[in-house]
């Protein structure tokens, strides 16, 4: 079977094999990797038995012989060995035919586990096969850091150095970041998220670290999008419909772009809804293509606080403006509207939606209203995080707390590791050299 090949969003003269693109992250010209041609999937041949059976069938066809069949099996059975339930909200009126695709049953309770664990699996295999070592640097302000740390925790030859801003992450997120793991070195930086990002960039340019095999697992890596196609495919198979509308709570537009990847590979999709919080660049763009990026503002759905979505360049590299605005409908939801919707969903259906998922459900109701009905259409909201990750907001809005999964409560009494450092290049250099020691 043919292998998938990738090209840059900026120039079209190079073809890069999948694993090389995964290792490089960015193309040489600074662009992002996208497929140079779309694989033809035989949709009827995909299993409807389970998420893993369906995913295995899909990946074999999508990747061709880009990676060994045993590694495709490893991704599915090791990296993605958690449940992907589809919950019928079973509401009435405008709440009917809404399904919650729960993507938060991985080890760190957000959908970031899909991408981070797949990358960890594939990069880990590559590093082990070459007998090499690597140090992964990640600046984090949300769910990515803990997913990456957890994903690489047992990978031999790899150290992970996590930088997060003091006072800049939620108490639950901090607890997840500083959980003691082999080979993971969390740093509480006395500075801002921007300081953390600057230090990571600086480390790549630091001559004293030139022998350190630094790499990063950032959100634009093609390895993160690969597994994010799988649940769109599974939901379509599970609902046995080629008319599904997907509502995607969005920040950097990685999840939405993965859906578009699947669609361009032939997956039938009725409509994508881009559900944003007050960071409204993309919904504005869908109305007016001359709209510009904006500085980010902070909201209760903080993992979507992105002013300049990194995957926007990918969408533009794959589709024309009219194709984008035809396939994707967008809306921006304020904090107040988010919390009202959390409350209404709980009242009407008994379901506790985290703030990100609530933005997605609000988008569905607005879309149905604007289109005058569509209540009969099967509509899936991607539920990107477990409500127990946001106890403060859930308590404030619903006057209760979501039941805490064991994975989270066990952290409360578990061992931790964290080092406080100044926001300087020198401080990060010391840590990187010491952890290699
Ligand atoms: C990262 C994240 C998002 C946004 O996903 P993108 O791929 O950046 O659009 C939404 N919800 C949660 C909980 C997240 O962690």
């Amino acid at each position: 079977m043919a292998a998938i090949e990738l090209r840059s969003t900026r120039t079209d003269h190079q073809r890069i094999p999948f694993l090389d693109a995964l290792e490089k992250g960015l193309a040489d010209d600074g662009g992002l990797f996208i497929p140079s041609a779309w694989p033809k999937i035989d949709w009827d041949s995909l299993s409807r038995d389970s998420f893993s059976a369906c995913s295995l069938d899909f990946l074999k066809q999508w990747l061709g012989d880009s990676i060994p069949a045993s590694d495709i099996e490893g991704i599915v059975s090791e990296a993605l060995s958690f449940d992907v339930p589809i919950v019928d909200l079973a509401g009435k009126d405008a709440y009917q035919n809404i399904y919650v695709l729960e993507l938060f049953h991985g080890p760190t309770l957000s959908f970031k586990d899909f991408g981070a664990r797949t990358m960890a699996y594939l990069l880990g295999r590559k590093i082990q096969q070459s007998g090499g070592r690597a140090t992964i640097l990640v600046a984090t302000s949300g769910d990515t850091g803990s997913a990456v740390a957890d994903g690489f925790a047992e990978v031999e030859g790899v150290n992970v150095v996590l930088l997060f801003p003091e006072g800049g992450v939620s108490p639950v997120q901090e607890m997840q970041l500083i959980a003691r793991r082999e080979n993971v070195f969390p740093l509480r930086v006395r500075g801002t998220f921007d300081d953390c990002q600057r230090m990571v960039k600086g480390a790549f340019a630091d001559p004293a670290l030139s022998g350190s095999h630094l790499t990063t697992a950032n959100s634009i890596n093609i390895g993160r999008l690969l597994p994010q196609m799988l649940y769109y495919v599974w939901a379509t198979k599970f609902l046995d419909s080629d008319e599904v509308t997907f509502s995607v709570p969005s920040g950097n537009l990685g999840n939405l772009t993965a859906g578009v990847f699947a669609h361009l590979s032939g997956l039938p999709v009725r409509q994508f809804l881009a559900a944003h919080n007050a960071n409204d660049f993309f919904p504005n763009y869908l109305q007016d293509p001359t709209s510009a990026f904006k500085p980010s503002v902070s909201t209760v759905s903080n993992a979507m606080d992105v002013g300049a979505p990194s995957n926007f360049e990918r969408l533009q590299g794959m589709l024309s403006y009219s194709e984008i605005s035809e396939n994707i409908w967008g809306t921006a939801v304020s904090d107040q509207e988010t919390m009202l919707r959390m409350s209404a969903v709980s009242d009407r259906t008994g379901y506790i939606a985290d703030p990100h998922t609530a933005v997605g459900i609000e988008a569905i109701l607005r879309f149905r209203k604007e289109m005058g009905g569509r209540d009969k259409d099967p509509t899936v909201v991607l539920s990107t995080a477990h409500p127990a990750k946001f106890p403060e907001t859930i308590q404030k809005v619903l006057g209760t707390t979501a039941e805490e999964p064991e994975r989270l409560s066990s952290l409360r009494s578990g061992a931790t590791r964290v080092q406080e450092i100044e926001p300087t290049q020198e401080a990060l250099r010391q840590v990187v050299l010491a952890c290699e020691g």
Side-chain angles (χ1 to χ4, degrees):
M1 219 180 284
I4 185 125
E5 288 184 318
L6 303 161
R7 55 162 285 203
S8 167
T9 45
R10 299 195 184 166
T11 46
D12 186 20
H13 53 262
Q14 262 192 322
R15 295 289 178 266
I16 312 279
F18 185 82
L19 284 180
D20 291 359
L22 179 106
E23 213 171 20
K24 284 165 85 79
L26 273 184
D28 292 336
D29 62 10
L32 309 191
F33 289 114
I34 50 175
S36 62
W38 296 100
K40 289 277 161 284
I41 307 294
D42 176 3
W43 296 100
D44 291 335
S45 72
L46 305 183
S47 170
R48 283 192 68 209
D49 290 348
S50 65
F51 172 73
S52 36
C54 175
S55 297
L56 203 57
D57 289 347
F58 175 80
L59 285 176
K60 281 181 184 157
Q61 292 189 37
W62 202 85
L63 286 166
D65 47 22
S66 297
I67 70 175
S70 59
D71 282 345
I72 293 181
E73 276 154 33
I75 292 174
V76 171
S77 64
E78 290 178 42
L80 306 180
S81 59
F82 41 83
D83 287 342
V84 187
I86 299 177
V87 178
D88 185 348
L89 262 192
K92 292 198 174 52
D93 310 324
Y95 286 95
Q96 63 187 309
N97 299 311
I98 297 179
Y99 299 87
V100 185
L101 176 58
E102 293 188 345
L103 304 176
F104 53 70
H105 295 277
T108 68
L109 309 175
S110 87
F111 86 93
K112 297 293 197 301
D113 284 323
F114 285 85
R117 296 181 72 76
T118 301
M119 273 195 71
Y121 180 87
L122 289 172
L123 275 182
R125 300 275 299 166
K126 198 147 189 188
I127 289 161
Q128 278 156 16
Q129 274 157 13
S130 64
R133 301 190 55 78
T135 299
I136 315 244
L137 294 180
V138 188
T140 183
S141 62
D143 298 317
T144 295
S146 52
V148 170
D150 209 86
F152 281 96
E154 290 119 49
V155 179
E156 222 175 294
V158 174
N159 287 320
V160 179
V161 177
L162 285 180
L163 296 84
F164 65 93
E166 182 177 44
V169 299
S170 78
V172 170
Q173 283 171 335
E174 174 145 347
M175 185 170 85
Q176 291 184 301
L177 289 168
I178 68 174
R180 190 180 186 86
R181 301 172 175 99
E182 271 319 304
N183 306 337
V184 178
F185 302 88
L187 304 176
R188 189 189 287 128
V189 177
R190 297 192 190 99
T192 61
F193 177 63
D194 290 339
D195 290 322
C196 298
Q197 272 193 312
R198 178 180 48 74
M199 290 161 75
V200 168
K201 278 204 185 122
F204 281 88
D206 185 345
L209 298 177
S210 61
S212 291
H213 299 106
L214 298 181
T215 177
T216 180
N218 57 21
S219 60
I220 39 89
N221 196 295
I222 188 84
R224 289 185 40 171
L225 296 189
L226 177 77
Q228 292 176 203
M229 287 187 283
L230 300 174
Y231 36 74
Y232 289 93
V233 175
W234 169 237
T236 303
K237 273 277 163 187
F238 178 84
L239 295 172
D240 197 16
S241 164
D242 49 16
E243 292 270 289
V244 178
T245 292
F246 286 98
S247 179
V248 189
S250 292
N252 272 315
L253 294 169
N255 234 350
L256 187 74
T257 301
V260 171
F261 271 26
H263 188 41
L264 292 173
S265 306
L267 182 76
V269 172
R270 173 96 190 245
Q271 183 80 48
F272 290 103
L273 312 182
H276 288 257
N277 60 24
N279 293 279
D280 59 2
F281 156 72
F282 192 61
N284 291 345
Y285 166 84
L286 293 171
Q287 297 296 322
D288 171 6
T290 65
S291 302
F293 289 163
K294 292 176 167 181
S296 65
V297 296
S298 61
T299 74
V300 292
S301 48
N302 66 317
M304 316 199 301
D305 295 349
V306 179
S310 56
N311 278 287
F312 179 61
E313 176 168 343
R314 269 202 176 101
L315 287 175
Q316 279 198 310
M318 303 185 296
L319 300 171
S320 66
Y321 176 72
S322 65
E323 288 168 328
I324 293 175
S325 55
E326 211 167 281
N327 285 289
I328 308 171
W329 181 93
T331 193
V333 180
S334 71
D335 275 358
Q336 203 201 353
E337 293 161 321
T338 303
M339 293 190 282
L340 281 172
R341 189 55 62 198
M342 287 168 69
S343 167
V345 169
S346 164
D347 286 349
R348 299 280 300 271
T349 71
Y351 191 85
I352 298 186
D354 95 284
H356 305 80
T357 307
V359 169
I361 297 175
E362 173 70 15
I364 294 174
L365 298 185
R366 288 185 187 180
F367 175 72
R368 286 180 164 183
K369 197 164 176 196
E370 185 174 310
M371 296 297 149
R374 310 278 282 256
D375 296 357
K376 298 276 184 289
D377 289 9
T379 304
V380 171
V381 58
L382 274 60
S383 181
T384 49
H386 195 293
K389 281 192 109 162
F390 308 94
E392 300 85 2
T393 308
I394 302 277
Q395 179 66 44
K396 180 173 151 199
V397 177
L398 304 179
T400 174
T401 48
E403 198 185 329
E404 193 166 73
E406 212 274 321
R407 270 187 301 262
L408 213 51
S409 43
S410 66
L411 292 180
R412 297 195 183 278
S413 52
T416 61
R417 167 194 274 166
V418 65
Q419 196 179 333
E420 294 238 359
I421 68 166
E422 294 299 324
T424 65
Q425 220 54 59
E426 173 61 24
L428 178 58
R429 183 186 307 141
Q430 296 304 331
V431 173
V432 172
L433 293 173
C435 78
E436 285 170 350

